[in-house]
Every structure is written in structure tokens, then in C-alpha cells.
Amino acid sequence: MMKYIQNANTFLLVLACFSLTGLIFLGYNSISFGYKEIRLCLNLTKAHQENSNLQSQQGLSYNQPSVVGLDGKVIALTPWLAPIVWEGTFDSFLIDSIYKQQNITIATTVFALGKYTQFLKDFLESAEQNYFVGFRVHYYLFTDHPEQVPAVKLGEGRQLTVLTVASSNRWQEITLRRMEKLEKLIESRLVNEADYVFSLDVDTKFYGRWGAESLGRLIGVIHPGYYQTHREQFPYERRPESQAYIPVAEGDYYYGGAVIGGLVKDVHEVAKTCREQLDIDAAKSIEAAWQEESHLNKYFLYNKPSKVLSPEYLWQDFKPHTNEVKIIRFSQVIKNYAAVRPNP
């Protein structure tokens, strides 16, 4: 009898050990699986945040965001948590080093039609000194006078492609068709040739460093003429019949059309949408107040940029320096519009 009890106790002890081992195994795997699930969730969330559009509903009522605070200090974040890039908010050496490891190509489109070819030399020479230095840059130049494109020495890994387009006797028409040209170029070439794309005005000049701090999914630049203006005074398109219409009570910033940038697929969406809206307006014989810039502002109001460039990245040569703008990186040059435009 005693021996039977001892054997039973031994059996129960062995069974308890197996049970405990099983519980430990299951517990470990539950923790492991849970960790993997959490990690997978975090990765998916991060990917979603990086790839999702920051869309806003029309008609929302909220306070206009400021660019400069009451204390005179610049504000470096939008209400939707997109960075506003100012001097002093980034380490240029660090951020350039990070992006150079990715071996990226930055496509840059420029339109120089009619007498605007006179601005090409300064644009290209100053870009080679300041614009994404050390990166692979491919300029795509649209012009109706390819013979007037200056010979500018380009750095290593940088190239220029000249694309001949038809002339126009209206500068407004030239401006209106830029989105269409950009859309088609992305579809035919840039989708396979570049990672990021910037579309820049040619009647400009680089005065300071412009690097990887400007890269992001979708990039807009705050217009230097309106960064401390109340949105009711923004030169938005105010006619409801236009596709570019923005109500007086709405608006974040007034974005300059001289700079558009971002990932190739996101800039394509901007160009495609604006081109479609421009075509709808044209069918009704409507021309928005500031052509494609008006449609761009409509797009950015309801599809928020993931990064906003401060007026350092788009200044105007005739404007005096201000306390908040510590450095001028890119600026529109002084010109006689009557002399360079084909029509008033």
C-alpha cells in the first residue's frame, strides 16, 4: 500500500512538472507572439503615417496658424504637426549624411519660355553652388528656345535634359500648362528616374544652402509676401464658380507656386489634380486669380503638406531683410515684367 502511494506521488510530481513546463512554454510564446504583434502594429502604423495623405474636410472652422509668434520668434510646427523649416531647426551635416546613404535622385523641373531664358545662367550656376550639393540632381528644362540654353558646368552626378515645347503669346497660358507638363513628365520618365521632384521658377537665384532638410512626402513653401497676413487678405481665388475657390473664413498659409516638391508619386497627384481643376475652369472660360498657384493653394488647404518650407526658401530680391528670416536661400530676382512677358 505504501509503495502504491509513493508511486502515485511520483506520478503526480512528474505530471506537475510537465504542466509547469507547458505553462512556461505557452507563456513565453504568448509574450513572444504579443511582442511580434505589437512590433508589427507599430511598423504598420509608422508606414501608414509616412504614406497616408493628410486630408482635411472642407468647411472646418479653426484658428489661422501663425508663422511668427507674438514674441517675434518663428514657429517651427504647423497645427497638423508638419515641420516648418527654418535656419536653426536642423543639423545640415547630419540630415544630408542620412539622405546621401539612400542614394536618391532629385529631379528638378524648370520652365524657361520666351525671354525667360535670360534667367537660366544665374539659376543653374547658383544651383550648382547651393542646391543639393553632393546629391544626384537631374534638371529637366522646358523651353521653346533650346539654342539659348547656356553651357553651365555641372558637378559630378548632375545632369541637364532640355525638353523643347511650343511657344505661347500669353504668359498666363504658359503658367497654366505647367501642371500638365509636370504630370506627363512624371508619368513618362520621373516615375522610373527619380525619388523626389521639385518644380522651381526660373526667374530666381540661390543665395544659400538648400539641402535634404527640404525633402519629404509633400512640400509647400510659404509665400514671402503673405506670411504675416490674415487669411482674409490672402489672394486666394474667391469666385465660387472656380475650382480653385477658397471661402474667406478658411486658409492656413498662402503658398508660393514657385516651389513645389515631394516624392514623385505625391507631386504627380498634385499636378494631376490641379491640371484637372484647371481644365474644368477652362471649359467654363474661368481663369483663377493666380493661375496654377491658386489651384495649388486649394490643394494644399485640403491635402496638407507633410513639410512646409519657411520664406527662407522663397524670398523676393526687392524685399528688405526681416528679423525672423536669418538667411535667404532662394529668391525671385528683380525684373521688368513688361520686358520679359509676351503680354501684359
Side-chain angles (χ1 to χ4, degrees):
M1 182 70 178
M2 196 70 179
K3 184 176 180 181
Y4 173 77
I5 293 173
Q6 287 176 343
N7 288 338
N9 287 339
T10 302
F11 173 76
L12 291 173
L13 181 61
V14 171
L15 182 62
C17 288
F18 275 115
S19 299
L20 181 60
T21 302
L23 288 172
I24 292 172
F25 175 79
L26 290 173
Y28 171 79
N29 279 278
S30 295
I31 293 171
S32 177
F33 292 150
Y35 169 72
K36 290 178 180 177
E37 288 173 0
I38 292 171
R39 184 171 61 182
L40 177 61
C41 181
L42 289 174
N43 287 339
L44 289 173
T45 301
K46 181 180 178 183
H48 174 73
Q49 289 174 340
E50 290 177 347
N51 296 314
S52 62
N53 295 328
L54 300 171
Q55 294 184 334
S56 174
Q57 294 179 346
Q58 296 189 24
L60 289 182
S61 178
Y62 55 90
N63 292 332
Q64 179 185 350
S66 299
V67 177
V68 180
L70 296 176
D71 57 1
K73 295 181 179 179
V74 298
I75 295 174
L77 204 63
T78 70
W80 58 92
L81 302 181
I84 304 177
V85 184
W86 295 91
E87 175 69 10
T89 62
F90 61 91
D91 185 311
S92 59
F93 174 77
L94 175 61
I95 196 165
D96 275 3
S97 298
I98 291 171
Y99 276 90
K100 283 178 180 178
Q101 295 180 81
Q102 299 179 21
N103 196 32
I104 59 175
T105 296
I106 300 124
T108 304
T109 65
V110 186
F111 292 78
L113 279 74
K115 295 180 180 179
Y116 273 74
T117 55
Q118 65 186 275
F119 302 111
L120 276 171
K121 190 172 188 297
D122 279 350
F123 174 90
L124 290 170
E125 287 183 346
S126 64
E128 285 301 289
Q129 294 296 316
N130 298 286
Y131 180 70
F132 286 110
V133 175
F135 286 87
R136 188 186 300 114
V137 173
H138 192 157
Y139 303 101
Y140 295 84
L141 169 61
F142 293 86
T143 183
D144 54 346
H145 292 293
E147 74 284 356
Q148 295 180 15
V149 176
V152 173
K153 181 177 175 55
L154 303 180
E156 182 180 354
R158 301 164 81 90
Q159 58 182 310
L160 170 67
T161 296
V162 178
L163 303 168
T164 304
V165 294
S167 302
S168 177
N169 57 8
R170 291 184 70 245
W171 67 267
Q172 295 92 338
E173 183 66 25
I174 295 171
T175 301
L176 288 166
R177 297 269 60 95
R178 279 173 39 164
M179 289 297 185
E180 178 184 11
K181 301 294 186 190
L182 179 57
E183 177 191 6
K184 290 182 177 179
L185 177 66
I186 291 174
E187 292 173 352
S188 64
R189 299 189 58 166
L190 302 192
V191 69
N192 297 314
E193 296 179 7
D195 302 286
Y196 295 89
V197 56
F198 279 89
S199 181
L200 305 177
D201 274 6
V202 70
D203 52 339
T204 51
K205 188 175 180 179
F206 291 88
Y207 292 101
R209 177 196 172 282
W210 177 318
E213 76 283 351
S214 66
L215 295 175
R217 182 183 60 80
L218 183 60
I219 308 299
V221 63
I222 297 174
H223 195 291
Y226 303 98
Y227 70 93
Q228 295 196 76
T229 302
H230 195 278
R231 59 188 172 194
E232 292 180 356
Q233 277 74 54
F234 285 166
Y236 288 153
E237 174 54 59
R238 300 300 190 184
R239 293 171 294 172
E241 56 268 27
S242 171
Q243 295 297 307
Y245 168 67
I246 296 176
V248 174
E250 295 185 43
D252 298 320
Y253 311 104
Y254 188 79
Y255 297 97
V259 177
I260 309 169
L263 291 171
V264 169
K265 66 180 181 63
D266 290 275
V267 175
H268 177 261
E269 187 61 28
V270 176
K272 179 176 180 290
T273 302
C274 289
R275 190 266 306 161
E276 291 172 346
Q277 304 304 317
L278 285 159
D279 286 346
I280 293 172
D281 272 7
K284 297 186 291 185
S285 299
I286 297 173
E287 191 172 283
W290 288 101
Q291 293 80 41
E292 98 284 5
E293 186 174 84
S294 297
H295 290 272
L296 178 68
N297 272 275
K298 172 73 172 287
Y299 186 90
F300 279 161
L301 176 56
Y302 303 120
N303 301 271
K304 308 294 190 188
S306 62
K307 184 179 288 184
V308 176
L309 303 182
S310 72
E312 295 173 0
Y313 294 82
L314 180 60
W315 200 246
Q316 294 166 316
D317 279 359
F318 64 81
K319 288 178 67 67
H321 289 205
T322 60
N323 292 331
E324 56 273 5
V325 179
K326 306 299 183 185
I327 180 173
I328 295 172
R329 305 177 189 278
F330 186 60
S331 184
Q332 295 174 314
V333 301
I334 297 172
K335 54 194 167 293
N336 180 353
Y337 283 107
V340 297
R341 287 177 171 174
N343 65 296

